[in-house]
Amino acid sequence: MARSSSGIIVAALTAAALGGVGFLAFQAEAAPDLPHPSASSPSGKEKDKGQGQGPAAKDKADQGKDAAAAVPAHSGTGARVVYALAQKRVWLVGADGKATRSFEVAPSTVNPPLGGYKVTSRSPTGTGSDGIPVEHIVRFHQDANGVVFGFSAAVDGSSPNPAATKKTGGIRERPADGLALWNVAVNNAKVVVVP
């Protein structure tokens, strides 16, 4: 008799436990999906990017990114490198006319004239006019005063800081951007300078 009553108690406890688990599972299924706790407290970097600030702020950040990525109008057709003086930005454009990469640059003290050019020479390494070792040098023009215009990246990632009176034509990129430009801007590749 004691044995059968303890079996009944165990069976009742098991049924109650299963019922409780079933009830909790039902509640979990019916509850709305909530973000993970770490997702609700964005870091400072994410706030700067417009994340975690609501749809309007994120849309505005995305529009800014899209505007920067848009290839300037009247910059030619086909594969080319586009350099916009006012935006201090370069676009690497594929044969289909779409940008494969866009990035900001540190401009030279002298701007190249507006217009179309072709890459005239390339050097894997060298020294910038500011004395900094540079790499992935892509030259596209030399003016009547002997100023040579081209793109390069400082090996140490620094931006140029030439004296304002020194006339230089070196346009400085970050190392990763310099490598990307080097890979597409072969000799005779098209370079277009726009306002």
Side-chain angles (χ1 to χ4, degrees), residues 24 26 63 86 92 163:
L24 292 175
F26 172 77
Q63 287 170 359
L92 306 182

Side-chain angles (χ1 to χ4, degrees), residues 127-177:
T127 303
S129 56
D130 54 1
I132 300 290
V134 293
E135 61 186 356
H136 302 124
I137 305 159
V138 175
R139 299 173 199 89
F140 62 88
H141 178 62
Q142 181 172 351
D143 72 10
N145 297 319
V147 176
V148 177
F149 296 93
F151 303 99
S152 65
V155 174
D156 65 3
S158 65
S159 290
N161 190 14
T165 57
K166 191 170 187 179
K167 293 185 176 185
T168 63
I171 302 151
R172 188 72 51 86
E173 311 151 309
R174 289 183 289 273
D177 296 327

Side-chain angles (χ1 to χ4, degrees), residues 67-70 72 83-91 102-105 194-195:
Y83 174 36
L85 299 176
Q87 293 183 57
K88 301 176 187 174
R89 179 170 286 276
V90 167
W91 288 262
S102 177
F103 51 89
E104 291 182 337
V105 294
V194 297

Side-chain angles (χ1 to χ4, degrees), residues 70-140:
V71 179
H74 312 295
S75 65
T77 60
R80 62 200 185 278
V81 174
V82 179
Y83 174 36
L85 299 176
Q87 293 183 57
K88 301 176 187 174
R89 179 170 286 276
V90 167
W91 288 262
L92 306 182
V93 183
D96 61 359
K98 295 180 181 175
T100 58
R101 188 179 187 112
S102 177
F103 51 89
E104 291 182 337
V105 294
S108 52
T109 58
V110 178
N111 286 330
L114 303 179
Y117 303 91
K118 289 190 175 183
V119 172
T120 56
S121 67
R122 297 162 25 111
S123 301
T125 59
T127 303
S129 56
D130 54 1
I132 300 290
V134 293
E135 61 186 356
H136 302 124
I137 305 159
V138 175
R139 299 173 199 89
F140 62 88

